[in-house]
Amino acid sequence: MTLLGMGPALLFCPGDRPDRFQNAADRADAVILDLEDAVGPESKAAAREAVQAASLDPAGTIVRVQDASADGFEDDLAAVAASPFRTVMLAKAESAAQVDRVVAAVPGARVVVLVETARGVLAVEPLVAHEAVVGVMWGAEDLVASIGGTSSRDASGAYRDVAVHARSRILLAAGAFGKTAIDAIRTDIADLDGAHAEAVDAAASGFGAKAAIHPNHVEPYRRAFAPTAEQLDEARRILAAAEATPGVFSFEGRMVDEPILRHARSVVARAHTLGA
């Protein structure tokens, strides 16, 4: 499991579509009930009521609330507090004080900070260091929009440099403070190969999970985070050899030290999470 206690494929679901809640939860490792972008202003109240009434497993459910400057922020928090759910995703997080507001309104809240503005990127270290924060996600499109850009990707589909910088900084902050890093959604729903390739990079880079806006991305994500049979076999053999040979040793012609052992442990842990 990730530090969030969930698997690697997280699926957003509009908060005003309770008819989809269970299906989304069944399809993914965790569902993110969305009270922010996926819900229009006229449907916010209905979405809050639906979240309060939802009977999903709290261990596999996250509720995304609006950003702290939104008119309905306090109403979102009140809805979460009245629900069985305690993992809260804070949209457009920019300060530890905003996390404090979540914790004050939702007793026992476990907060996932969603960093998707320039201010949020610059404040990511104190955000992630907050004791109530269990994970950090980044968002590419809102981030680029916050600095006046029009697209986070170039014509080839690769992230522009500013998005790569933000992604890297958020990942490093998560690692520095022992929190789960969640990679951004992919908006190209039809490109399943691209979704898989991006998730492969996320897993190899150190992200603990990746978010999706369509259930068709769940399988490519899970497959990407699951080690191949060859990778798992090698990792297990390296760890077995380490038990018999303390310290640095040679394994099939290459040196193995503690960083390599940590890589191997990560491979085994991911396999365990996904039942491999």
Side-chain angles (χ1 to χ4, degrees), residues 16-28:
D16 61 344
R17 293 300 305 269
D19 55 310
R20 297 182 182 178
F21 287 1
Q22 191 60 58
N23 184 56
D26 291 342
R27 293 285 297 272

Side-chain angles (χ1 to χ4, degrees), residues 42-184:
E42 72 287 351
S43 300
K44 296 291 189 188
R48 295 181 191 113
E49 292 176 2
V51 166
Q52 290 181 56
S55 58
L56 302 176
D57 180 3
T61 306
I62 302 168
V63 182
R64 176 165 74 167
V65 300
Q66 298 173 85
D67 69 89
S69 66
D71 289 340
F73 178 61
E74 299 295 343
D75 293 331
D76 286 357
L77 294 180
V80 178
S83 80
F85 311 119
R86 287 298 177 269
T87 306
V88 183
M89 180 177 284
L90 175 60
K92 299 178 179 64
E94 295 183 343
S95 73
Q98 294 172 346
V99 179
D100 288 336
R101 292 175 65 186
V102 175
V103 174
V106 183
R110 304 165 73 240
V111 183
V112 177
V113 287
L114 176 50
V115 176
E116 47 187 343
T117 66
R119 283 182 179 273
V121 173
L122 295 181
V124 69
E125 289 83 5
L127 270 170
V128 179
H130 195 291
E131 63 181 4
V133 169
V134 295
V136 54
M137 179 176 161
W138 77 292
E141 300 310 324
D142 278 304
L143 169 63
V144 171
S146 80
I147 56 176
T150 58
S151 174
S152 67
R153 299 177 188 265
D154 62 22
S156 74
Y159 279 125
R160 299 185 189 280
D161 287 347
V162 66
V164 172
H165 170 79
R167 183 177 188 252
S168 300
R169 182 163 177 175
I170 287 156
L171 177 59
L172 289 169
F177 292 99
K179 310 296 173 72
T180 298
I182 303 168
D183 200 20

